[in-house]
Amino acid sequence: MPPSSSNQRFLALDVLRGMTICFMIIVNTPGNGRFSYSPLEHSAWHGFTLTDLVFPTFLFVVGNAMSFVMPKWEMLPQSQILLKIARRTLLIFLLGYLMYWFPFFREDAAGHWNFKPFSHTRIFGVLQRIALAYGLASLMIYYLKPRATAILGVIILLLYWPILAWWGTPGDPLSLTGNAVLKLDKWLMGDNHLYHGEGIAFDPEGLLSTLPAIVNVIGGYMAGSFVQKKGKTYEGLTMLLLAGFGLLTAGYLWDLGFPINKKIWTSSFVVYTLGLDCILLAFLLYIIEFRQKTRWSRFFVVFGKNPLFIYLLSEIGAETIYLIHTGNGVPVHVWIYDHVYRHLGLSFGSMLFSVSFMLLCWLVGLWLDKRKIYVRV
């Protein structure tokens, strides 16, 4: 088969983006307020679950999308390109910050609603990490050649290892309370601006751990560019698979000295997830582009056409449902889970609640797609 042109879009890349959004929604909206269904649980600290793959895959597909945009920038003036990068980075970061600040007010002990202060709003998070990783990766790819960008990515991963070892708590530098990611965030922002879901003030999307996440975007860019150059060829598919298995093996071996850990985004975690993403992309390419089995892909493409909007909708929608209470003061989503889904099994019912909420978001995406409404940032 002849190689595809650089402008050709691959359905497999769009499906991968949609799958990522789909599973992000499922993971983030359990019915009982926690990930009780074991396949949807993140690793507690060191280690890896399939759920841990969702976020790095989103960064990977951000890089995929960049591989289609960058060739179009070659004819644009530098000032215009830098403005595009800065505007998109700032806008995505701001949307992430506003999402955590939402609903902008809170109820006090007396039952009165007051303005939610800036002093207690989380600064970093999922969209903020996407924004920073996208912005920095874009600048690297724009100003450097692909080989230099790849080398710089490797240097970042290698340097991150001693940074965590040297600036963490002596004797236990990779612990929840002693890691350098937490120390930097506490020094810069203080406890009130951090995530508290771990039982302490600790942000799994902290500033320092965003540094290696840039490499997930770079890896996605490299994979996207490779797919475009090789096109629908078995040679390209084989090379992508070999690269995936090579990275997977390297990440697994690196885990022996530098544990795979999503919450501090270790370098071994980056390499391991990049390997899995390359293998997953190769599998999708084979099914969709080679075998032409595409009927099932329509479901995920709906998510992929409005990824940022649907993700924001899911987060704000879940927060809104939590704010609505029954007459007994029980949040509506808890009432629905207890009276409908819990009877199907404590854990399985939680998973079904998540799937149901995801399907509601999908219906909104389908409505937008039918009307050709695509929200771009």
Side-chain angles (χ1 to χ4, degrees):
M1 301 179 188
S4 62
S5 68
S6 62
N7 292 324
Q8 179 179 344
R9 293 294 305 201
F10 281 78
L11 178 59
L13 298 176
D14 295 328
V15 171
L16 181 59
R17 180 168 59 249
M19 291 175 67
T20 305
I21 296 297
C22 174
F23 288 108
M24 283 183 82
I25 296 173
I26 292 175
V27 167
N28 291 341
T29 53
N32 62 351
R34 60 187 178 90
F35 302 135
S36 60
Y37 189 64
S38 56
L40 298 183
E41 293 180 352
H42 286 288
S43 177
W45 193 243
H46 295 325
F48 184 81
T49 70
L50 286 179
T51 300
D52 292 334
L53 181 62
V54 176
F55 190 13
T57 302
F58 192 94
L59 294 174
F60 184 81
V61 299
V62 168
N64 287 164
M66 287 167 55
S67 69
F68 290 92
V69 173
M70 286 294 183
K72 301 176 183 179
W73 287 0
E74 294 178 357
M75 303 302 295
L76 298 177
Q78 177 179 263
S79 59
Q80 187 175 344
I81 293 170
L82 293 178
L83 180 62
K84 285 177 178 289
I85 295 173
R87 183 173 57 194
R88 193 159 193 251
T89 299
L90 291 173
L91 185 54
I92 295 175
F93 191 99
L94 179 62
L95 287 173
Y97 181 80
L98 292 175
M99 184 180 75
Y100 289 126
W101 190 23
F102 180 85
F104 315 119
F105 53 85
R106 64 183 179 184
E107 188 176 11
D108 60 22
H112 301 122
W113 290 95
N114 301 305
F115 185 75
K116 188 176 179 180
F118 294 105
S119 60
H120 286 70
T121 304
R122 183 183 177 190
I123 293 178
F124 290 108
V126 172
L127 289 181
Q128 293 91 318
R129 169 159 292 181
I130 292 170
L132 294 175
Y134 158 79
L136 292 171
S138 295
L139 292 174
M140 291 167 60
I141 293 168
Y142 177 66
Y143 282 109
L144 303 175
K145 293 182 179 180
R147 178 181 173 83
T149 302
I151 291 173
L152 184 55
V154 172
I155 292 173
I156 288 173
L157 295 183
L158 292 175
L159 285 178
Y160 188 60
W161 190 2
I163 286 173
L164 290 189
W166 294 340
W167 276 277
T169 299
D172 197 10
L174 300 182
S175 65
L176 173 60
T177 57
N179 65 84
V181 176
L182 174 60
K183 287 187 174 183
L184 179 61
D185 287 342
K186 288 171 73 75
W187 179 72
L188 283 175
M189 298 171 290
D191 290 1
N192 292 334
H193 289 296
L194 302 182
Y195 178 69
H196 287 75
E198 303 293 334
I200 66 168
F202 167 75
D203 207 316
E205 281 81 45
L207 180 60
L208 182 60
S209 56
T210 297
L211 188 65
I214 297 169
V215 184
N216 288 94
V217 180
I218 294 172
Y221 173 84
M222 298 293 181
S225 298
F226 176 79
V227 168
Q228 292 178 67
K229 290 177 182 177
K230 288 295 181 179
K232 302 175 186 179
T233 65
Y234 282 103
E235 177 192 3
L237 190 67
T238 302
M239 292 177 68
L240 188 61
L241 274 173
L242 289 174
F245 281 115
L247 289 167
L248 192 67
T249 303
Y252 183 79
L253 293 175
W254 205 350
D255 172 67
L256 300 175
F258 191 18
I260 292 173
N261 186 310
K262 174 190 179 293
K263 294 177 181 178
I264 51 176
W265 214 275
T266 55
S267 303
S268 55
F269 174 75
V270 173
V271 176
Y272 193 79
T273 53
L274 281 175
L276 287 173
D277 284 331
C278 287
I279 293 171
L280 178 58
L281 178 57
F283 174 77
L284 291 174
L285 284 168
Y286 177 72
I287 296 297
I288 295 173
E289 310 293 349
F290 286 74
R291 298 294 303 279
Q292 295 294 308
K293 305 290 186 181
T294 60
R295 293 183 63 182
W296 63 276
S297 65
R298 166 66 175 166
F299 179 85
F300 295 108
V301 170
V302 167
F303 284 112
K305 289 187 175 181
N306 274 295
L308 183 59
F309 177 83
I310 294 177
Y311 174 73
L312 282 169
L313 173 70
S314 70
E315 292 292 312
I316 293 175
E319 182 66 24
T320 301
I321 293 174
Y322 183 79
L323 291 172
I324 302 173
H325 291 68
T326 65
N328 298 325
V330 179
V332 168
H333 86 281
V334 174
W335 187 93
I336 294 173
Y337 169 75
D338 288 339
H339 288 78
V340 179
Y341 294 94
R342 187 171 183 172
H343 300 294
L344 302 173
L346 181 63
S347 298
F348 189 65
S350 179
M351 186 272 290
L352 289 180
F353 180 95
S354 301
V355 172
S356 299
F357 186 80
M358 175 272 294
L359 290 173
L360 285 175
C361 296
W362 180 83
L363 288 173
V364 174
L366 180 64
W367 183 85
L368 292 172
D369 186 35
K370 286 183 176 295
R371 284 156 182 76
K372 307 298 182 184
I373 300 174
Y374 305 111
V375 182
R376 300 283 183 260
V377 175

